[in-house]
Amino acid sequence: MIFIKFSFSQEEIKRDYNNPIAYFEVFLGYSGVNFEGLSLGYTGNYQKGNNLFTFRNLYIASKNVNRNRGLSKAFLFPAYINGNSLNEYGLLYGKRFVYDGSSLSLSAGISSNTLINRYKVEGLKYREKEHYIGVPFEINYKFFKKDKNRFRLFYGLIPIGRPTAFSRSFGFKLYGNFGKVTHVGFGFNYSFGFHKIYN
């Protein structure tokens, strides 16, 4: 009896040291409906089980109708400087389904939005700011590495370190916000972090 008790007391306790699922994302797209413009944003994401918690900041710049000369005619971005804009800070909750090397997530939540209108009257410039609460949503589809392997620099040419769960991903995002000013957009996302649990 004493020998059996001693044997069990020496048994190793195995613990799982699985990586968390957490990643940071940036995205670029175009929005329409009540507010049209070029969209740029970022998100911070944490997943527990299949529950996804997201913080999102989104900025939409509409085209400046008064800026139609110089670089604005030849390039895309200068035409969106000093136009009307919409800034959103949101907290979202949703579900994320992880497959072998991809994932699908659907989220919605609540946001604080700031709309800035710029206009001219008799040569004088005016700027109006309006705040409102909205309901942000997004649907994401991402592609990432299937297995834990070494991190690679310069598009996979130079492997460094040991095999790791940390990786990059890319994909597509359908996003929007229902509120006083409704917008819906589509874009491309790029993220880095831990996108699934690797063994």
Side-chain angles (χ1 to χ4, degrees):
M1 293 286 291
I2 294 171
F3 176 75
I4 293 173
K5 186 176 180 181
F6 179 77
S7 296
F8 277 107
S9 67
Q10 298 300 312
E11 185 179 351
E12 281 190 23
I13 299 174
K14 292 184 178 179
R15 293 183 176 89
D16 290 328
Y17 293 100
N18 292 327
N19 60 276
I21 302 179
Y23 53 92
F24 179 80
E25 169 195 87
V26 293
F27 61 94
L28 177 69
Y30 199 84
S31 299
V33 187
N34 296 138
F35 194 88
E36 184 177 346
L38 196 64
S39 304
L40 178 65
Y42 65 88
T43 66
N45 303 273
Y46 176 74
Q47 182 176 343
K48 185 71 174 177
N50 67 348
N51 299 301
L52 182 65
F53 305 91
T54 301
F55 168 77
R56 183 174 90 182
N57 179 211
L58 171 66
Y59 181 81
I60 305 175
S62 68
K63 198 167 187 178
N64 187 346
V65 294
N66 299 315
R67 195 179 183 95
N68 191 26
R69 61 184 185 277
L71 290 176
S72 299
K73 288 185 176 181
F75 299 100
L76 174 68
F77 294 103
Y80 290 88
I81 295 173
N82 291 329
N84 296 335
S85 62
L86 194 153
N87 197 7
E88 169 206 295
Y89 291 92
L91 293 173
L92 294 84
Y93 166 78
K95 297 291 183 180
R96 183 168 179 262
F97 307 97
V98 179
Y99 310 109
D100 198 21
S102 63
S103 67
L104 172 68
S105 65
L106 304 91
S107 303
I110 189 168
S111 67
S112 171
N113 307 278
T114 302
L115 176 66
I116 296 178
N117 284 313
R118 295 179 174 89
Y119 58 93
K120 283 184 178 181
V121 177
E122 296 179 354
L124 298 175
K125 294 181 180 180
Y126 294 90
R127 181 175 179 270
E128 289 183 348
K129 186 182 290 188
E130 185 178 0
H131 301 280
Y132 64 93
I133 300 297
V135 179
F137 68 90
E138 62 179 52
I139 300 172
N140 293 282
Y141 195 82
K142 295 180 180 295
F143 300 93
F144 46 83
K145 68 180 184 181
K146 295 181 180 180
D147 302 308
K148 185 188 288 188
N149 49 41
R150 297 168 72 185
F151 193 78
R152 294 175 176 267
L153 296 175
F154 300 109
Y155 300 97
L157 296 177
I158 303 174
I160 58 170
R162 295 181 178 180
T164 177
F166 187 88
S167 68
R168 298 172 292 238
S169 80
F170 68 93
F172 308 97
K173 179 187 288 285
L174 176 67
Y175 57 92
N177 195 306
F178 296 112
K180 188 170 184 179
V181 177
T182 296
H183 65 85
V184 177
F186 180 79
F188 300 95
N189 58 49
Y190 177 84
S191 63
F192 51 91
F194 304 96
H195 296 93
K196 75 172 187 177
I197 296 175
Y198 293 89
N199 297 320

